Amino acid sequence: MNKIKKNIIKLIILLLLLIFALYYIFNNISSFQKLSLVSPALIIYLIILFGVSYICVAVYIRSLLKPFGIIIKVSESFMLAVATGFYNLITPFRGGMMIRAAYLKKKYKLSYTTFLSTLAGMYIIIFIVSGIIGLFSSLYIFNIIENYNWLIIGIFFIIILLMLLLIFFSGYIPKLKGRWLGKISKVFHGWNLIKNNQKIIFLVALFAIFQLTLIALMLILQFKVFGVEINFAGALILSSLTNLSLLISITPANLGIEEVIIVFSANAFGISPTVSLASALLGRAVKVIFLFILGPIFSYKLIKENKK
């Protein structure tokens, strides 16, 4: 019953976000009608960058599995990365990660506990990097436009502070049970598993920086398709916030959550909600098409290879 209730709550949240989006579009239909694809050719580059981002994830997965004695082919790692993204797209709470954990357990005997705990610890690094880059980008760009958005700055500052507190107190927290305490405990335990492995910490930090850069470049293209220029620092703020939205990932592929964050943040730079929503939906469309084409194909190939 608890699982059913959770799924109902997720569905309600998703429906409310979709209703709100449709309501906004309907009430601003004239503004959307004025939008035009100024540079549609840039969509090709957007698709290429999206593919590159998954190659990056594939290299990341392959590198992180080596310390566990698991050597995975680059092609297999890429297919696993895309399949994970596909299942994240169609399931809430990033269900693709559970699929990846099940695959690695079945084929390479990597335990669920080790995988999920280590993953939780890695997210601490990713969130710290996102917070730091977002904070400095915010201070830089708000100083230029001479209009500080203290809410955005405060979000980045709080995230950095929370993650540092998690690291500081990680050695003092015992393993806890329960719905929420268990999850918090898992994050602490995950950090303890990787905190002494400088190679993993370096790789995760490097991946986070590269990932944020790619997302920023994609956001620049998404806005430029509609004839709106956004500088790299502004795009980094948006990419950092979308990365941090994983903390509240309660809808499939963060559907609605990510778009709201982009619209809210872009408004701080003077970009109208109409343009930012259209840009966010363009990015979403590219992601859906890419993953819905390759995700099922790669899932089938991975299952077939696993059976062999």
Side-chain angles (χ1 to χ4, degrees), residues 137-153:
S137 297
S138 299
L139 293 173
Y140 170 76
I141 197 167
F142 291 141
N143 182 57
I144 290 176
I145 65 177
E146 297 181 346
N147 183 22
Y148 286 85
N149 188 309
W150 294 108
L151 178 58
I152 292 178
I153 293 172

Side-chain angles (χ1 to χ4, degrees), residues 216-289:
L217 292 174
M218 286 189 281
L219 285 165
I220 289 171
L221 290 177
Q222 286 168 224
F223 280 97
K224 202 166 185 178
V225 165
F226 295 99
V228 175
E229 298 286 340
I230 179 172
N231 61 33
F232 186 64
L236 275 177
I237 294 172
L238 298 182
S239 65
S240 298
L241 284 170
T242 53
N243 233 16
L244 293 176
S245 70
L246 295 176
L247 287 165
I248 51 172
S249 183
I250 54 177
T251 60
N254 247 5
L255 181 61
I257 306 292
E258 194 172 298
E259 285 75 12
V260 167
I261 288 173
I262 290 175
V263 171
F264 162 75
S265 307
N267 189 54
F269 313 138
I271 300 174
S272 72
T274 302
V275 173
S276 53
L277 181 58
S279 302
L281 291 175
L282 172 63
R284 177 70 65 178
V286 169
K287 182 184 293 185
V288 169
I289 293 169

Side-chain angles (χ1 to χ4, degrees), residues 179-216:
R179 183 180 173 186
W180 295 107
L181 290 177
K183 289 180 181 180
I184 295 171
S185 178
K186 186 181 289 184
V187 172
F188 283 120
H189 180 61
W191 172 251
N192 287 330
L193 285 175
I194 67 169
K195 67 180 182 181
N196 295 321
N197 194 323
Q198 294 182 355
K199 186 177 180 181
I200 286 182
I201 292 174
F202 175 76
L203 283 171
V204 175
L206 191 65
F207 166 76
I209 294 169
F210 193 63
Q211 183 192 44
L212 286 170
T213 303
L214 278 175
I215 295 173

Side-chain angles (χ1 to χ4, degrees), residues 15-26 32 277 281:
L15 287 173
L16 287 173
L17 288 170
L18 290 174
I19 290 169
F20 175 77
L22 291 172
Y23 175 79
Y24 179 81
I25 292 171
F26 179 77
F32 281 98
L277 181 58
L281 291 175

Side-chain angles (χ1 to χ4, degrees), residues 42-100:
L42 292 176
I43 296 174
I44 297 172
Y45 295 106
L46 187 60
I47 294 169
I48 292 171
L49 278 178
F50 194 74
V52 170
S53 70
Y54 272 92
I55 294 173
C56 172
V57 175
V59 173
Y60 169 71
I61 292 171
R62 191 170 184 270
S63 301
L64 291 178
L65 289 175
K66 282 184 179 180
F68 297 103
I70 298 172
I71 306 299
I72 184 172
K73 295 178 183 176
V74 175
S75 57
E76 182 183 9
S77 183
F78 178 67
M79 288 192 290
L80 186 57
V82 173
T84 301
F86 171 67
Y87 288 107
N88 280 339
L89 191 65
I90 61 175
T91 59
F93 290 104
R94 298 184 66 78
M97 291 300 180
M98 296 303 298
I99 301 294
R100 187 192 294 178

Side-chain angles (χ1 to χ4, degrees), residues 151-162:
L151 178 58
I152 292 178
I153 293 172
I155 289 171
F156 288 129
F157 181 77
I158 289 170
I159 292 298
I160 295 169
L161 183 61
L162 285 175

